[in-house]
Amino acid sequence: MRRAEKAEQKKKKDSGRGRDKAAEERPGTAAAAPAEAQVARDEAEDTNSVAYEPVQQIGDGEAQYSDWGQATYLSNDDTMSLSSAQRVIFAIDKFLPVPLEHIRPHELLNYFSFETAEVAQTDDFSVLPEIAKDPKQDGIYNLALAIRGRPVDKQARRNGNLTFVVDRSGSMSDEGRMDYLKRGMRKMMGELKTGDLVNVVLFDHEVCVPVENFVVGRDKPEVLEKAIERMKPRGSTDVHAGLTRGYELADRGYQHTYNNRVVLVTDALANTGNTDPRTMSMVAKYYDERKIRLSGVGVGTEFNDALLDKLTERGKGAYVFLGSEAEVDAVFGQRFISLLETTAMDVHFQLHLPPSLRMNVFYGEESSAVKRTCRRSTTSPTRRSCSCPI
């Protein structure tokens, strides 16, 4: 983060899984997805579902935050998403334009590495603060908080109940998307550990399940290898049907001590079945409440960024982008654990400022003077920045 202090002038302060018991006593079949009639109600609640209310903004355009001495809650990115940074880097490498809406500063902070403090054995994460004068603006100080989660490797992580929902529609034949997908899935097999439970759901305009209840260490790896090899692009794209089927399998195989997660790999160009993003995100939210998280992997230069961002936001999981073989190998190799594991739940920071200070710019995901609910921090190091005038 970055922060700042006040100048000689004085300014008057503005006035101003919880899986329930019924879910735990789940019947043999998976619980049905919520009725689509709930969409309007859930969408109405969506505006109030963020963890923090926005801090009041001033109108002079010189600073976003009006209150001197404001105590402000700062939110770490609750999903540890990297997609925005990956897409910016891809566009720079390929000399392509980047739509402004695809640039999310907190994901750039997630992506790059910063100096961090070692995590004590008794702690879940460490925080390393640094403050310095802004080299280009008088009266501005920058405060950075570098956050590092407790290291977790393959052997130390929890076993996973992992359901891969894979797009095999015709658009996946463009730009080598299916080749990237297969390369990633093969790479991922090396990151599985004995006891992991794996399901694979394929979708186009239809849905099929080539692998169900595969247990690493019990079943032959050839079963997964053959399913990956046989993936071929065809048909149109029914994301809703594939995602719903994946959640049903994950719910049916739910293990209380496992990491229960759906991993959606797609270009998200939904054109068949229910294409309403509100309905799909409602399904993600419903199953998140049943402790099944959603991670998203975007493939191709023209994938639906808005849909995947919304789905993973409601499903409380990371969202990444595959733009090169190097990114494929990283996402499904050494960074695969970041798609799965969470170091600490309900993490938030409160920045207490004296009357002589105010926050000018915040580069994290969310900030507010009012704390409602808390978000979480993930395994990878992150950095939050804000700046304030002196």
Side-chain angles (χ1 to χ4, degrees):
M1 308 177 188
R2 299 155 147 189
R3 160 176 134 207
E5 303 176 24
K6 183 181 175 187
E8 301 144 359
Q9 353 171 318
K10 281 189 174 178
K11 184 160 182 175
K12 188 176 179 181
K13 183 178 179 182
D14 290 350
S15 54
R17 192 166 151 12
R19 293 167 75 97
D20 55 29
K21 292 183 180 178
E24 294 290 357
E25 298 168 0
R26 178 175 66 257
T29 57
E36 294 181 12
Q38 295 177 309
V39 172
R41 186 193 69 187
D42 271 32
E43 186 65 15
E45 294 174 351
D46 190 49
T47 57
N48 297 318
S49 65
V50 295
Y52 304 88
E53 290 181 344
V55 176
Q56 182 183 0
Q57 297 187 8
I58 63 176
D60 60 10
E62 296 179 358
Q64 294 182 11
Y65 303 92
S66 61
D67 288 333
W68 298 92
Q70 176 75 67
T72 306
Y73 290 94
L74 307 176
S75 146
N76 187 22
D77 175 21
D78 63 331
T79 64
M80 196 55 206
S81 293
L82 308 174
S83 175
S84 179
Q86 291 166 321
R87 296 196 78 181
V88 168
I89 293 170
F90 176 84
I92 292 172
D93 288 342
K94 303 292 184 182
F95 301 98
L96 297 172
V98 181
L100 186 60
E101 62 270 20
H102 291 176
I103 300 176
R104 294 182 284 273
H106 62 275
E107 293 188 18
L108 290 159
L109 293 172
N110 287 344
Y111 186 85
F112 294 102
S113 298
F114 301 92
E115 182 182 356
T116 57
E118 291 294 325
V119 182
Q121 291 186 352
T122 56
D123 295 338
D124 289 323
F125 60 90
S126 66
V127 180
L128 179 64
E130 294 180 286
I131 191 166
K133 288 185 177 181
D134 191 296
K136 296 181 179 179
Q137 302 180 78
D138 291 337
I140 298 292
Y141 282 75
N142 299 324
L143 171 69
L145 303 181
I147 306 159
R148 179 177 180 180
R150 183 183 65 250
V152 179
D153 58 22
K154 181 171 77 172
Q155 297 309 315
R157 72 166 172 84
R158 294 174 294 166
N159 276 110
N161 167 31
L162 307 176
T163 300
F164 294 89
V165 179
V166 177
D167 185 347
R168 64 167 182 183
S169 63
S171 59
M172 292 295 287
S173 63
D174 299 338
E175 304 174 319
R177 297 173 193 178
M178 182 59 71
D179 294 334
Y180 279 175
L181 189 158
K182 288 184 175 182
R183 182 186 179 101
M185 293 290 287
R186 293 189 183 103
K187 189 76 174 178
M188 171 275 303
M189 289 181 63
E191 298 300 314
L192 299 176
K193 61 184 284 187
T194 300
D196 284 344
L197 175 65
V198 178
N199 302 305
V200 178
V201 175
L202 304 180
F203 71 91
D204 42 74
H205 55 283
E206 299 176 326
V207 178
C208 71
V209 182
V211 178
E212 184 173 358
N213 294 326
F214 177 93
V215 178
V216 178
R218 183 196 70 182
D219 300 322
K220 294 181 179 181
E222 290 80 6
V223 174
L224 270 179
E225 291 170 357
K226 289 180 180 178
I228 295 169
E229 183 59 35
R230 290 172 181 170
M231 294 178 188
K232 296 187 185 304
R234 45 159 269 182
S236 50
T237 311
D238 192 339
V239 177
H240 179 261
L243 186 61
T244 301
R245 181 69 173 127
Y247 270 124
E248 289 172 353
L249 287 178
D251 192 64
R252 185 183 303 168
Y254 180 86
Q255 302 288 325
H256 179 67
T257 59
Y258 277 39
N259 182 344
N260 297 274
R261 187 169 297 273
V262 172
V263 180
L264 175 63
V265 188
T266 179
D267 58 18
L269 300 177
N271 54 24
T272 300
N274 193 322
T275 60
D276 186 349
R278 296 174 301 170
T279 302
M280 287 184 267
S281 63
M282 181 187 68
V283 172
K285 180 182 178 183
Y286 171 79
Y287 281 104
D288 174 67
E289 292 171 352
R290 297 174 66 79
K291 296 293 186 182
I292 299 172
R293 311 302 188 199
L294 173 69
S295 295
V297 181
V299 188
T301 58
E302 297 299 326
F303 73 90
N304 189 336
D305 176 81
L307 176 57
L308 273 178
D309 188 46
K310 187 176 184 68
L311 287 177
T312 51
E313 179 69 22
R314 300 300 287 272
K316 303 291 178 64
Y319 163 34
V320 298
F321 165 65
L322 304 183
S324 68
E325 291 184 351
E327 281 293 346
V328 172
D329 291 344
V331 166
F332 287 97
Q334 71 266 30
R335 288 208 304 260
F336 183 68
I337 196 168
S338 296
L339 282 177
L340 307 181
E341 276 294 354
T342 301
T343 295
M345 301 290 291
D346 296 334
V347 175
H348 65 280
F349 296 90
Q350 188 175 26
L351 182 63
H352 293 271
L353 299 176
S356 60
L357 303 175
R358 77 175 178 197
M359 186 163 70
N360 189 33
V361 179
F362 178 58
Y363 295 106
E365 187 177 25
E366 295 171 341
S367 63
S368 174
V370 179
K371 170 175 170 271
R372 284 183 174 168
T373 59
C374 299
R375 300 280 183 122
R376 72 171 185 264
S377 172
T378 56
T379 56
S380 302
T382 63
R383 189 177 177 94
R384 292 289 162 264
S385 301
C386 60
S387 64
C388 317
I390 190 172

